[in-house]
Amino acid sequence: MKKVSIIVPCYNEQESLPYFWQAITEVADTLYRYTFEFIFVDDGSRDETLSVLRSMAGEDERIRYVSFSRNFGKEAAMFAGLEASRGDFVAIMDADLQDPPSLIPEMLETLEREPYDCVATRRVDRKGEPPIRSFFARQFYKLMHKISKTEIVDGARDFRMMKRKMVDSILSLKEYNRFSKGIFGWVGYRTKWLEYENVARAHGETKWSFWKLLFYSVDGIVAFSTVPLAISSILGIVFCFLSFAALIFVFVRQLIWPDSSAYGWPSAMCILFFISGIQLFSMGILGQYLAKTYLEVKRRPIYIVGETETDLKSMPQKPSTPADKVL
Ligand code: UDP
Ligand code: MG
């Protein structure tokens, strides 16, 4: 029997988990030709997510979990889930029911019968999202499309199902700065896209603030394009030419109207500020790449595991009672 792994990154999802579990088992139970494993990755949640996972894992042996020692981010959580997975088919889905479990049978059917290695999903709209966030998201995808060779699809969700070989390829990319939307495109393989309308979060709230998303998009740009570096070099060359032209202009003006350069102070200041701005901007771009390289060469682990379901057996029976805590 073929095995399906479902990976669920969870950060403060205590409210969503019971609903998610109910929805996913309803679907999984109809797919009796497959065995399932559910890998929940607790990304250092501050609420009771881990206790919920412990009790869920105690009740159903298909449930496995990996709990991080702190919050490492969704990218790290997805990577940990992929590393832990053993299935022939591996799916990644959010815990908040924004990724409809009802698509799972269709995904499996496609991978079994059609010549695809991956079934991915994209939202056709961004209903229920703040307009400013949608606007910036759209601009980001437009920009990425222009400056990166890797295909990064607008509205693509992380919700997808892949064959084992694609998962192994993704795992062979050991980079520290992970931007999955790019990595999925970079490894290639034949991908079928399913489209669906955005579903509002069922419980709890989004973990992505505007700033978190902005920095995430910078990560994406730095990881999958070197065009910003080229832009700063081109700006440098353009300004060299401009300054050369300015030099000739000042020289000729001085020859024709001696004394006129004494009045040039305000324009000189404007130019000075402008050029300094461009220089700092270019240094900033360089700094971004340098910072990423610095983090990359340190070779730190992508995540640290605090606890997994195998630790559950060696735990005292009632970990929440004060007496056990003392022991
Ligand atoms: N998530 C995570 N670590 C984080 C932030 C989010 O594992 O640091 C998980 C979260 O629990 C959820 C999924 O990633 O299952 C998507 O997060 P969210 O729903 O907040 O994002 P949105 O759907 O608003 O883009
Ligand atoms: Mg969500």
Side-chain angles (χ1 to χ4, degrees):
M1 231 198 290
K2 282 186 179 164
K3 190 172 198 144
V4 181
S5 308
I6 309 268
I7 297 167
V8 192
C10 310
Y11 178 53
N12 297 346
E13 299 286 7
Q14 60 174 25
E15 290 150 19
S16 312
L17 279 174
Y19 296 95
F20 174 79
W21 181 238
Q22 195 189 349
I24 194 76
T25 39
E26 260 171 34
V27 173
D29 292 343
T30 62
L31 297 163
Y32 48 85
R33 284 192 293 127
Y34 299 91
T35 53
F36 277 82
E37 68 170 359
F38 301 93
I39 305 169
F40 291 88
V41 186
D42 165 37
D43 185 10
S45 302
R46 287 161 202 269
D47 64 358
E48 293 302 313
T49 299
L50 180 57
S51 336
V52 175
L53 288 178
R54 278 185 194 137
S55 62
M56 279 165 66
E59 278 163 27
D60 195 317
E61 58 183 18
R62 292 174 297 175
I63 296 182
R64 298 171 55 203
Y65 69 86
V66 179
S67 177
F68 289 174
S69 58
R70 65 168 170 85
N71 179 244
F72 280 87
K74 188 183 176 189
E75 286 292 341
M78 289 194 289
F79 184 71
L82 291 176
E83 275 196 327
S85 70
R86 303 177 197 134
D88 304 292
F89 301 107
V90 180
I92 301 175
M93 39 195 323
D94 289 359
D96 56 7
L97 289 177
Q98 277 189 299
D99 301 331
S102 54
L103 289 180
I104 298 276
E106 190 183 339
M107 288 174 155
L108 275 170
E109 183 84 9
T110 308
L111 291 184
E112 291 272 30
R113 295 188 198 289
E114 293 177 41
Y116 291 105
D117 303 304
C118 172
V119 184
T121 57
R122 64 183 287 260
R123 314 185 270 188
V124 281
D125 63 0
R126 291 178 172 270
K127 245 186 277 165
E129 212 183 61
I132 184 134
R133 185 169 150 173
S134 311
F135 172 77
F136 278 107
R138 263 196 215 106
Q139 298 311 314
F140 168 73
Y141 284 110
K142 264 192 204 151
L143 181 72
M144 278 312 263
H145 188 67
K146 286 204 185 99
I147 65 173
S148 176
K149 287 196 192 93
T150 307
E151 191 197 11
I152 296 170
V153 179
D154 185 5
R157 304 268 313 162
D158 291 324
F159 179 30
R160 55 172 63 221
M161 187 182 279
M162 296 165 275
K163 282 189 182 160
R164 183 80 249 166
K165 60 179 176 184
M166 181 162 174
V167 174
D168 290 339
S169 304
I170 291 170
L171 290 174
S172 70
L173 268 69
K174 299 281 182 213
E175 59 209 74
Y176 180 79
N177 298 291
R178 300 191 77 80
F179 185 70
S180 286
K181 286 182 174 40
I183 292 176
F184 292 142
W186 191 90
V187 294
Y189 294 105
R190 285 158 299 181
T191 301
K192 180 173 182 176
W193 288 92
L194 301 181
E195 296 188 340
Y196 66 93
E197 289 197 358
N198 195 25
V199 188
R201 197 173 226 282
H203 300 273
E205 52 192 42
T206 176
K207 310 297 176 309
W208 294 90
S209 66
F210 179 76
W211 292 108
K212 223 172 154 184
L213 273 178
L214 187 73
F215 286 122
Y216 185 56
S217 58
V218 173
D219 281 353
I221 293 172
V222 174
F224 281 92
S225 171
T226 48
V227 169
L229 281 173
I231 292 176
S232 67
S233 334
I234 291 167
L235 277 179
I237 294 168
V238 168
F239 277 94
C240 280
F241 277 113
L242 279 180
S243 63
F244 190 64
L247 196 86
I248 293 173
F249 170 73
V250 171
F251 187 71
V252 172
R253 191 174 65 170
Q254 185 67 19
L255 282 181
I256 302 173
W257 299 287
D259 292 343
S260 61
S261 43
Y263 307 112
W265 190 82
S267 52
M269 285 317 277
C270 292
I271 293 167
L272 196 75
F273 277 122
F274 183 59
I275 306 283
S276 321
I278 297 285
Q279 272 176 349
L280 286 176
F281 175 69
S282 302
M283 265 166 64
I285 291 178
L286 198 67
Q288 281 296 327
Y289 285 90
L290 187 68
K292 296 293 177 206
T293 315
Y294 176 57
L295 289 173
E296 212 65 62
V297 294
K298 281 194 199 185
R299 299 226 148 265
R300 284 186 180 164
I302 294 168
Y303 61 90
I304 294 173
V305 176
E307 182 188 317
T308 69
E309 81 282 348
T310 46
D311 299 318
L312 207 56
K313 296 180 189 88
S314 53
M315 265 183 212
Q317 282 304 301
K318 287 181 217 150
S320 54
T321 59
D324 285 323
K325 273 191 188 147
V326 174
L327 285 172

